[in-house]
Amino acid sequence: MGVVLESDIWEPNRSICILFFICCVVSIFCLPAKSSANVLDHASSASLLRFQRKFLFLFAISSVLEGLWAVFGEYELAYYGFSKDQVLNVISVGFAVSLFIGSFIGVLSDLLGHKKLCLLFFLQHLLSWMVVEQDKLGQRQEVLNDMFWMMTFLESASFIGSQALANYLIDDNVVRNIKSLWIGAAVLAVLAVGLVTRGWQEAPQTAPLKDYRVSFHRHVISDKRIWLLSWAQSCVHFSVAAFWLLWAPSIVADGREVSLGLIYPCLLGSKMLGSTGFPWFFHVPLVLRTEEYLMYAFTIMGFALSIVAYDYQEIELLVALFCLFQTCLGMVLPFLARLRTTYLPNDIRGGMMSLSLMPANAAILFLLVLRGHHYIANSTITSVAAFGLFSAAGCMYSLKKWGKQLQQSRRNL
């Protein structure tokens, strides 16, 4: 009598990805009539339409390049003989570079020109560059809002595409085809550089350093609202970094084999679904302020990570919590971009964006060093991320109060 051994590999229901796709399509095409023209056209002029298409295409290429590392970067290091501690050291070096060099790239971008910096760091600075160029072309705020959520949606879709591209290039033969993965990335990078250098004309940056410093002090350092917004943005950056570092170890912590390659698209699909919910808040009468929506979203994300930090081992619940976190993130990122365009002028926004990430990069680097020496557990890092999100919710509550007080004082006048 034969013995049948059942596999204990857990994997999500494949119909979940189809469900996410259907929900995203329904959410986009069922928007109120007021926004249908914006979603499908996005432009009031031919020049603006051309710019948006080029920009989104370049942004998609950038996201695919980032996604290739996200999918196979650590696997390649392990393939070439890196131990877990060595991989952790590589990641720590990356965050150290982000802390000591990347924090000032936004300032250089504002001073030297976004186009020049995009050639080296075009992924990080596409957002601020996009806002400046669209303002020059006469973009309305409601159409700009559509661009924000479309970027978040397209980024997640590109990450899924990078996973499919990597699997196609590897073709079940890692030993023979591992280099083809980065040859493909090099081709995409060359294409992106060509689009940046030949596809756009940027006016030269003429503002001297002294004027930039005065403007930065006036609009950023002296404005308490920007401090609160910067802290909230830093907390989101930290929580997202902690999530992508720890989601896989959290799921496989109980020792069971899990098909992570099928869970990854579900997480990105959740983020895509959340991003498609953003335009609904601006094409129907607003019930709450932008800060209030962010306050509730941060609170939900914080509770989701708090349950994960409790070290709950049920895989189904962990995947559901991770999907909830990503859904909220898909809505949070466009909301934060909207607040930045509301509070900050274009010429200093890039500097604020990069400098605001300095606390998050410093905290991640510090915790990674502690984790490498086994002084701290993964659940502790997740708890810190949850606490940061709760503090971000408190920042949004303070911004909401200030906004209502300002609105009331204007009415009294």
Side-chain angles (χ1 to χ4, degrees):
M1 180 177 178
V3 179
V4 178
L5 298 177
E6 295 184 0
S7 175
D8 195 27
I9 299 178
W10 188 93
E11 60 182 38
N13 193 323
R14 301 187 180 220
S15 61
I16 295 179
C17 294
I18 300 176
L19 178 62
F20 280 134
F21 175 78
I22 294 175
C23 291
C24 289
V25 171
V26 172
S27 179
I28 293 174
F29 286 96
C30 291
L31 283 173
K34 176 182 176 182
S35 65
S36 59
N38 292 337
V39 175
L40 299 178
D41 188 11
H42 306 293
S44 56
S45 65
S47 60
L48 180 57
L49 181 60
R50 287 194 299 270
F51 169 78
Q52 288 178 324
R53 288 175 176 173
K54 291 179 180 178
F55 172 80
L56 290 175
F57 180 64
L58 180 60
F59 186 80
I61 295 176
S62 306
S63 300
V64 170
L65 290 173
E66 184 181 5
L68 288 174
W69 165 257
V71 175
F72 275 96
E74 295 184 26
Y75 178 81
E76 185 191 23
L77 293 177
Y79 172 78
Y80 284 116
F82 282 67
S83 64
K84 291 184 178 180
D85 291 338
Q86 289 174 325
V87 171
L88 185 62
N89 290 335
V90 171
I91 297 175
S92 299
V93 170
F95 280 105
V97 173
S98 298
L99 172 62
F100 296 109
I101 298 179
S103 299
F104 304 99
I105 293 299
V107 177
L108 294 176
S109 177
D110 292 332
L111 292 173
L112 301 179
H114 303 110
K115 180 178 178 179
K116 295 178 182 178
L117 269 296
C118 279
L119 293 175
L120 296 176
F121 304 98
F122 57 90
L123 180 61
Q124 179 180 357
H125 297 282
L126 274 174
L127 181 58
S128 59
W129 180 34
M130 179 269 293
V131 174
V132 173
E133 295 301 317
Q134 295 208 31
D135 280 351
K136 292 178 183 178
L137 294 172
Q139 179 95 354
R140 294 177 301 171
Q141 180 64 46
E142 61 183 39
V143 184
L144 194 58
N145 291 334
D146 284 330
M147 285 292 293
F148 288 145
W149 75 261
M150 287 174 59
M151 289 171 62
T152 305
F153 180 91
L154 190 60
E155 179 188 36
S156 300
S158 299
F159 272 37
I160 297 177
S162 66
Q163 183 184 25
L165 176 62
N167 290 330
Y168 172 78
L169 294 175
I170 294 297
D171 194 24
D172 296 329
N173 193 329
V174 179
V175 177
R176 186 181 64 183
N177 298 327
I178 186 67
K179 293 183 179 179
S180 64
L181 185 66
W182 306 116
I183 293 176
V187 172
L188 291 176
V190 171
L191 177 60
V193 170
L195 289 174
V196 173
T197 55
R198 301 178 63 88
W200 279 277
Q201 298 294 328
E202 184 182 35
Q205 304 296 108
T206 58
L209 177 60
K210 181 179 179 181
D211 293 344
Y212 181 86
R213 187 167 52 191
V214 171
S215 179
F216 195 86
H217 185 275
R218 175 186 176 185
H219 294 286
V220 177
I221 298 178
S222 300
D223 194 338
K224 294 181 180 180
R225 299 178 306 169
I226 304 303
W227 284 89
L228 294 175
L229 179 59
S230 298
W231 177 254
Q233 183 170 284
S234 184
C235 292
V236 172
H237 179 71
F238 177 85
S239 65
V240 171
F243 174 88
W244 288 118
L245 287 172
L246 301 178
W247 75 273
S250 299
I251 290 179
V252 301
D254 62 350
R256 286 196 294 179
E257 294 188 28
V258 180
S259 180
L260 298 177
L262 293 178
I263 298 177
Y264 183 74
C266 293
L267 300 177
L268 295 177
S270 301
K271 185 178 177 182
M272 293 169 64
L273 180 61
S275 67
T276 62
F278 171 80
W280 284 85
F281 293 97
F282 296 98
H283 298 302
V284 296
L286 282 177
V287 180
L288 303 174
R289 296 175 58 89
T290 300
E291 296 86 347
E292 292 179 275
Y293 289 119
L294 282 171
M295 180 181 66
Y296 295 130
F298 287 148
T299 303
I300 295 173
M301 294 169 69
F303 276 118
L305 291 186
S306 298
I307 299 176
V308 175
Y310 183 71
D311 202 26
Y312 196 88
Q313 296 296 326
E314 188 64 34
I315 294 181
E316 291 81 359
L317 179 59
L318 287 176
V319 173
L321 291 171
F322 290 156
C323 289
L324 177 62
F325 178 88
Q326 288 293 321
T327 301
C328 293
L329 180 63
M331 298 184 64
V332 160
L333 295 180
F335 272 120
L336 285 176
R338 175 181 169 84
L339 284 184
R340 287 194 297 267
T341 59
T342 302
Y343 291 155
L344 287 170
N346 293 328
D347 56 349
I348 61 172
R349 190 175 297 124
M352 174 268 180
M353 289 174 61
S354 59
L355 288 174
S356 66
L357 302 183
M358 182 181 291
N361 289 327
I364 295 170
L365 178 61
F366 176 72
L367 293 176
L368 283 178
V369 172
L370 291 181
R371 184 67 185 89
H373 292 84
H374 307 287
Y375 293 149
I376 193 172
N378 291 344
S379 59
T380 304
I381 299 177
T382 307
S383 300
V384 174
F387 177 79
L389 290 171
F390 288 135
S391 68
C395 292
M396 293 300 107
Y397 177 77
S398 299
L399 286 176
K400 180 199 72 171
K401 288 182 60 178
W402 280 350
K404 288 185 176 180
Q405 291 174 358
L406 181 60
Q407 186 177 15
Q408 186 63 35
S409 62
R410 289 177 178 175
R411 290 178 180 177
N412 294 335
L413 294 176

